[in-house]
Amino acid sequence: MLTLDVEYDCDFDLFGIVSSSREHTLAWTLNTALRLRLVKQQDLIYDLLSRGRLVISNYLHATETLSLRLLRNRSVDPSALKKPFLAPDIKEYDYLLQVSNGTGSLAGDELLARLTELPAVQYACQFDPNSLKFKENLLF
């Protein structure tokens, strides 16, 4: 039996956010503080065959050069999965912020500093997405 082993390279910055805020409130807070226009998109649905499915809430801000996504880390629908998370290896984080081509105040340490200053954010951390076991869940 042959198996296809594919290795993905994630070329975006990834931030984990701990926040007790509802997703629309956090999106509004990020829009105001970072001068974004995060807009609610259709939920992402991952059908995991016989194990169940994940329904992930998804907000997007996109320009010609920048793409920024706010993703809820936990499935919004009840799930039969033991770990109903988009990124189970960092399940302590309520939300994930994925930034492609971020520059200046929307990149790396500067963005992390701005996130941690927000009252709606209890804690934030930057991750190397390539180090995550379930990184393919973050590719759209």
Side-chain angles (χ1 to χ4, degrees), residues 7-87:
E7 191 61 34
Y8 297 103
D9 186 35
C10 301
D11 62 345
F12 52 82
D13 291 332
L14 182 67
F15 300 87
I17 297 174
V18 175
S19 175
S20 57
S21 296
R22 292 180 176 254
E23 61 197 44
H24 60 276
T25 304
L26 182 59
W28 180 85
T29 300
L30 293 173
N31 282 344
T32 304
L34 304 176
R35 293 189 171 148
L36 300 173
R37 191 162 188 279
L38 284 165
V39 176
K40 176 79 167 120
Q41 305 294 303
Q42 188 171 359
D43 290 340
L44 302 172
I45 298 175
Y46 294 87
D47 280 311
L48 304 173
L49 303 174
S50 61
R51 296 186 324 210
R53 76 181 204 165
L54 291 175
V55 179
I56 302 298
S57 185
N58 162 37
Y59 288 76
L60 175 67
H61 168 88
T63 66
E64 288 179 16
T65 56
L66 170 75
S67 170
L68 193 141
R69 275 186 195 275
L70 176 65
L71 303 159
R72 187 166 164 175
N73 194 21
R74 189 184 219 354
S75 181
V76 293
D77 276 0
S79 175
L81 295 168
K82 267 188 192 169
K83 296 179 183 177
F85 299 96
L86 180 63

